[in-house]
Structure formats: C-alpha cells, structure tokens
Amino acid sequence: MIIDGKQAAAKLRITIAKDVIALKASKGITPSLTVVLVGDDPASQVYVRNKAKQTTEVGMISNEIRLPENCSQAELLSQLTHLNNDTSVHGILVQLPLPKHLDESLVIGAITPEKDVDGFHAMNAGRLLNGESGAMVPCTPQGCIILAKQHLGNDLSGKHAVVIGRSNIVGKPVALLLLQQNCTVTIAHSRTENLPQICQQADILIAAVGRAEFVQADWVKKGATVIDVGINRIEDMVTGKMKLVGDVDYAAVSEVCGAITPVPGGVGPMTIACLLKNTLEAAKLYG
Ligand code: NAD
C-alpha cells in the first residue's frame, strides 16, 4: 500500500484553514509566519516560495525577509530581535542551510522558542525530550508520525521502530516522537554495525539518511511500514534526466513491506503542512 503524503497534507491544510477562520472569529488573530532567507540558494528559494504560497492559501499572513549572501551575523541577529519583539509575528523560520560564515546554532538560538515554528531551538528540543507540553515539534518528524498512523491507526504501542539517521532535524526528534507513542525505538546511524539485521526487526522503519535508494528489500520485514524521509536527486538511467528518489529502494521494498511513502509525494508535502500547524499553534498559544 502507498501512503499518500500529498493527500494527507491536503487534508491537514483543510483542518488548519478552518481553525484559522475560527481563531480570527473568536480572538481576532490572524496567524502570521515570517521566513528569513539569507543569500540566493536556488533550492531554498523554491522552498520559501512554496511555504509562502501554502501559508496564504490557509488564510495566514506570510512575510519574507531577504538578506544578502554576505549579510553579517549581527545584521541577522538584529532582524531576529526585531521579529521576536513584533507581536504581530507568531512564527519565525530561518531557512537553512545558512551561508558558511553564519553560526547556525547561534542563529536558531536567537529565535524566541515560542515563535520557533521549525522546532530546532534547544528549548524546544529539550521540551520534546522531557515530553513537556508546549514544545514546538520539528515539522518533518511530525509528518512521519501522522503518515505512520494513517496506515497503522492511532495506537503504535509496542511496535519496534527503527530510525536510520540521528540528525537534530529528523532522526533524533522522530525517535523521541515514536518513544512518546510507546514504540520500542532503535536509532541506527553511520557507525551502526549489522544495519540490515537491525532493520529486519522493524515494524516501522524510518529512513532519514540522505543516500539514494540505500535501504534494500532484504532489510525489510514482511508487512513493515516504511517511511522514507530522504530526498536525493539522481540521474535517471533511462531518460538521462535528473529525478528525485528517497533513501529506500522503492520498487523492490514495495514488494515486501505492508505500506510505504513514495518520494516525491510522501513525507515532503507533510513538512510544510506541519509548519503551518506549528504556526497556528503558536498563534493560538501566544498570539
Ligand atoms: P543528515 O545528513 O543531517 O543526517 C543523515 C544521518 O544518516 C546521519 O545521522 C548519519 O549518521 C546517518 N547515516 C549516514 N550514512 C549512513 C549509513 N551508511 N548507515 C547508516 N546511517 C547513516 O541528514 P538529515 O537532515 O537528517 O536528512 C536526511 C534525509 O532526509 C536527506 O535526504 C534530506 O534531504 C531529507 N530530508 C527530507 C525532508 C522532507 O521534508 N522530506 C526534511 C529534512 C530532510
């Protein structure tokens, strides 16, 4: 079975749009998201454009601040202070990656945690670790859980989840969310030994590696739910054109697993939908 992320994201955006209308009516608040883009990386520009489009489509206010590639750390931090103090801004997102001369963790740390809709601030990471309410949870991991539940139902208790990848953006937070759902969680990474054997134990297998078609069919337990986070651009052997593939060998793994997210059209669309969800939450809680 294919887990359709496009459809799930569209459904989530409809719920969000309804909530935006209700929030406007009840409290006069229109959720607003400001994206800060430094430099002119083409991929980042596409992401930012998509975010802006979807933000306005659900009835929220979308703002964008563009800073030049050579912008100084002080300049960027001063913009963030301004946005932190602006009560009409509910969500702030600094598009990553930043140019090399800027300190990413310092910049993320300068965003007020309540407005950190990416959920990357150490305060939000700590709240997630402690299972505290009010944490802004990173968007891609949230999307993974929604998609897993779409196939398995709301109760993931006792399932063995194997996460490949331990990044702060995907691997670690998705592992914590699975733990919150009472899964037994294994985190595998670049130094893991016997990776295929570990993956074979997974009822839920999350691949967040960044290596094209890395996960093989004989690593996957029959009937497992496979969530493919990877986005890799490779050349199509037949057409010679570039195409997007995930971290899982989709065609072969589809034959073995119970359900799988495609790339594109799986986790990707859920990420922006969950960003809108976080912005709505920020406006509801702190607006
Ligand atoms: P990252 O490079 O920060 O982390 C990759 C992880 O994979 C590391 O923790 C590393 O230990 C692990 N790894 C690397 N080689 C390995 C190996 N041979 N065996 C086992 N583990 C190995 O990447 P990331 O930011 O976590 O992103 C992972 C992938 O997900 C990328 O393809 C990225 O483009 C994609 N991504 C997609 C979305 C989305 O919206 N769908 C969002 C974020 C990231």
Side-chain angles (χ1 to χ4, degrees):
M1 181 198 160
I2 296 170
I3 305 176
D4 187 341
K6 253 181 157 169
Q7 201 178 62
K11 205 170 130 197
L12 182 55
R13 285 197 303 270
I14 290 171
T15 313
I16 292 168
K18 284 183 184 156
D19 279 9
V20 169
I21 292 171
L23 189 65
K24 276 188 207 171
S26 65
K27 295 204 177 147
I29 296 172
T30 304
S32 124
L33 170 67
T34 298
V35 175
V36 181
L37 177 61
V38 185
D40 29 46
D41 174 57
S44 292
Q45 289 188 21
V46 174
Y47 289 138
V48 168
R49 248 201 322 273
N50 279 339
K51 280 172 195 164
K53 182 169 173 281
Q54 294 190 28
T55 306
T56 48
E57 274 172 8
V58 296
M60 296 186 188
I61 297 166
S62 163
N63 289 309
E64 197 181 306
I65 294 177
R66 282 181 177 247
L67 297 171
E69 181 84 23
N70 63 357
C71 129
S72 71
Q73 183 120 306
E75 232 175 308
L76 177 54
L77 293 180
S78 133
Q79 275 292 349
L80 292 177
T81 306
H82 175 74
L83 294 171
N84 285 339
N85 294 332
D86 183 343
T87 52
S88 71
V89 173
H90 305 111
I92 304 169
L93 181 150
V94 177
Q95 181 66 41
L96 302 177
L98 286 172
K100 294 233 165 356
H101 67 284
L102 299 172
D103 180 341
E104 229 162 70
S105 65
L106 194 95
V107 169
I108 291 165
I111 302 170
T112 297
E114 286 70 22
K115 296 189 180 191
D116 164 41
V117 282
D118 249 346
F120 297 158
H121 191 290
M123 181 72 87
N124 284 317
R127 282 180 182 150
L128 175 61
L129 181 71
N130 287 356
E132 286 173 22
S133 61
M136 283 288 159
V137 176
C139 306
T140 303
Q142 272 196 67
C144 292
I145 303 296
I146 295 171
L147 293 180
K149 283 188 171 178
Q150 185 162 305
H151 178 62
L152 293 168
N154 267 339
D155 185 10
L156 305 181
S157 298
K159 304 256 182 249
H160 187 180
V162 174
V163 178
I164 322 177
R166 56 173 162 183
S167 71
N168 289 343
I169 291 174
V170 190
K172 280 185 214 162
V174 81
L176 289 169
L177 289 175
L178 289 160
L179 193 60
Q180 257 180 24
Q181 298 293 322
N182 301 313
C183 290
T184 302
V185 182
T186 302
I187 305 178
H189 48 79
S190 52
R191 304 289 178 91
T192 296
E193 291 178 1
N194 305 322
L195 184 61
Q197 288 85 340
I198 289 170
C199 293
Q200 281 158 10
Q201 297 170 27
D203 303 308
I204 301 171
L205 182 60
I206 311 244
V209 194
R211 296 184 61 168
E213 299 173 332
F214 178 65
V215 175
Q216 301 299 301
D218 59 358
W219 302 12
V220 177
K221 179 157 103 177
K222 197 169 171 8
T225 302
V226 179
I227 309 290
D228 189 351
V229 182
I231 302 177
N232 310 287
R233 203 169 284 276
I234 61 164
E235 193 182 319
D236 189 316
M237 292 305 187
V238 181
T239 63
K241 288 187 182 156
M242 298 307 278
K243 63 169 182 179
L244 288 185
V245 296
D247 289 344
V248 176
D249 182 351
Y250 182 82
V253 169
S254 300
E255 300 290 322
V256 188
C257 69
I260 186 166
T261 60
V263 178
V267 176
M270 290 304 289
T271 298
I272 299 185
C274 290
L275 173 71
L276 303 177
K277 183 167 167 277
N278 279 355
T279 305
L280 174 67
E281 277 311 300
K284 273 187 187 170
L285 288 171
Y286 312 109

